[in-house]
Amino acid sequence: MKKYIKIDEWNIIEEGFDPHLNKISESIFSLGNGRMGQRANFEETYSGETLPGNYVAGVYYPDKTRVGWWKNGYPESFAKVLNAANWIGIEIKIDYETLDLDNCKVTDFKRVLNMKEGYLERSFTAELKSGKKLKVKATRFCSIVDDEAGAIRYSLTPLNFDSAVTITPFIDGDVKNQDANYDEKFWDEVHKETHHGSAYLNLRTKKTGFHVCTGMKFAIEQNGKIVEFSSVPVEREKYVANKVTLSVKEKQETVIYKYAVNLSSENHDKELLVHETKKVIEHISQKGFALMLKEQAQAWAAKWVESDIVIEGDASAQQGIRFNIFQLNQTYTGEDARLNIGPKGFTGEKYGGSTYWDTEAYCVPFYLATADEQVTKNLLIYRYKQLDKAIENAKKLGFKNGAALYPMVTMNGEECHNEWEITFEEIHRNGAIAFAIYNYIRYTGDAQYLNDYGLEVLVAIARFWSQRVNWSADKSQYVMLGVTGPNEYENNVNNNWYTSTIATWCMEYALEALATVKASDAAKYAAIVKKIRFKEAEESEQWQHIIDNMYYPVDERLGVFLQQDGYLDKELILVKDLPAEDRPLNQKWSWDRILRSCYIKQADVLQGLYFLEDRYDLETIRRNFDFYEPLTVHESSLSPCVHAILAAKLGDETRAYEFYLRTARLDLDDYNNDTEDGCHTTSMAGTWMSVVEGFGGMRVRDNQLQFHPFLPGKWASFSFKVGFRGSLLNVKVSKEGVQIINQSDKALSVNVFDKHYDLAGNAQLIVEHALAN
Ligand code: BGC
């Protein structure tokens, strides 16, 4: 845990340069625009500890799977988020000395991530070995308006010298991934060209054959005026640059404006890529830095209108939640149904792949409430488009008749996770994908989605579950053997309650969806039935038989659902009684000791009670919560949010707030000592859920938003924005009660503390209700 980020409501601020913290800051200060993103590496040379990271969404490399003992059914490769060409680079030489913060005295260092307007600023004074001092201020952003572009304003001012300065803006594609097998490099050069003040580098990924053309153009300003300069082209393999030598004077500011773009063959014709890159470079350099930045601020202002959370009385919490919202919004914009949200977003390469169940289980609620419904729809369509691959994947594992098993980790629909206990067994992910369809329709009311896309996915998932269970003659019930639940600290268990429960829920929902589509559009229904060769009577009957005869482990004495068969045979020592030095278990204990223990990594039974809460009475939820939480180590950042929401539901406001605190500033405070690898982007959505679903008690029931809020911790008030079926609400919770302002023209009805209210367009509702904290 570290506490070096200065508290500010709209900015993330680091003051003073500590090289030991650099990789953490590179993650925290990352930038992105949904289409591309990058870690907060320095523009100038840096020879200290750094993790270079530039990422282009959708561009990946299938690195060969490395496992000790190959198991049939393993994927051939592991899709890696690729470190792409570095477009920010500007090498600075003062006479013969290279500006390098690892090699000079740095003072007044300050890094600021302006979340309100979406840019990064860094300033410092450097004293070189020769005693020359210069002041640098760099501002940059990835534009969300021109989402293939980024821009940098890099200013340097000599403080005590006149001298020659060599400025070399470059594009460096000779990069590698930190975790590349055998240190292999993943890019080949296709083409490069260097002109006066501009350069282009077209690269192709090995194996996958993605082309990405990176272009740059720059201008230099002195005394506020653009200056003419002469430049020397520099070219090496996968590297293009322009070397410019200027004379600079004491106290005189020289500014370099560097415009850069990344165009990928995912969006452009390969043959025309260089040509198109030049066009986009022209477009943005004509616009200029100031206008681009202005548009960026406007675009971010629009995002905040829909998604901001305001916390009064706790600046640290305010900064934390805004940081989470900012990161989510710069990772996924929902404009492209081929893209998804990797656990690290654009902040690091760890985890590989871009899509886990995190998207459906954690991110979907965030985007549903804070963005246009098309954004979430695109996340669902992403899975729809990968249905064929999911069917193929299931087929490889022996399933048939159009059964689909979606991958645990993927880029293109193919499984790329290669630990058998997860690849083959952590199959509950299929449930989250079906649940997201349900959640989307529940929230938006867009039942047509079932006809257009959803039904096919639901049937394929239901088919999988129906084949994955087997009839136990001993129990005279269906069982599900050899699975891994969300709690990855148990593998190969029989009858994981959560997996079995979500499986039968999927079958029920698929049956319901079939009936809905049949009733709404008989012709469409007939077309789908034909396409997927659905044997209506036979398959529905089989699913219903499983639903009616599924075995779920329970312990009647304790009144709890059992995480899996045999769970109570374990030695049940509460987490609070574990020696502090044993935590975190995943770093201190051997894997087999963890597996044999009773400790739970993240919500498992409780994940099911969260998803399907309306099926269970409060006492059942309470008993399970009270039993499982004390055995949970929360070693996944996805864990505390589910517990915060359930604790809030159970009226345990203190604990709800405690759980929330565990992830609210997870990356800002490097809570788990792992932020240097990248931020926990998907779990940030969980933090949002803790506030809105937990403290705000927001639910959608019967086509209506319901709120059952409380005021946590030391907060004076909190308010959040939610969009719902065409209206935009600002919900404020304070000591006096709840105020809901309808910021749209559209009327709606809401339910607050179990009472129904009609709210006209642009009207407000005040529900007085004393809320103490
Ligand atoms: C969690 C999974 C999650 C993955 C990616 C793991 O540590 O146990 O539930 O999908 O991280 O965030």
Side-chain angles (χ1 to χ4, degrees), residues 343 351 356-358 408 426 486 488 601-602 636 638 682:
Y351 278 106
Y356 283 65
W357 75 303
D358 304 28
M408 186 65 190
E426 207 178 332
E488 293 175 345
K601 181 181 180 189
Q602 67 202 88
S636 160
L638 299 175
T682 49

Side-chain angles (χ1 to χ4, degrees), residues 136-152:
V136 171
K137 185 169 174 188
T139 309
R140 78 170 190 255
F141 56 92
C142 291
S143 168
I144 52 171
V145 177
D146 300 292
D147 67 3
E148 292 169 314
I152 305 170

Side-chain angles (χ1 to χ4, degrees), residues 310-366:
V310 178
I311 298 170
E312 286 179 321
D314 187 346
S316 157
Q318 176 66 80
Q319 184 183 44
I321 193 71
R322 283 214 173 108
F323 178 66
N324 291 343
I325 297 169
F326 179 75
Q327 284 293 353
L328 287 162
N329 279 334
Q330 59 170 1
T331 304
Y332 184 72
T333 56
E335 274 156 32
D336 188 336
R338 295 166 303 171
L339 303 180
N340 215 287
I341 309 146
K344 301 255 164 246
F346 295 119
T347 69
E349 58 187 59
K350 204 176 160 194
Y351 278 106
S354 70
T355 316
Y356 283 65
W357 75 303
D358 304 28
T359 295
E360 285 79 14
Y362 297 88
C363 301
V364 156
F366 169 79

Side-chain angles (χ1 to χ4, degrees), residues 498-511:
Y498 172 71
T499 310
S500 300
T501 300
I502 203 76
T504 49
W505 176 87
C506 287
M507 287 185 257
E508 279 176 41
Y509 186 49
L511 288 174

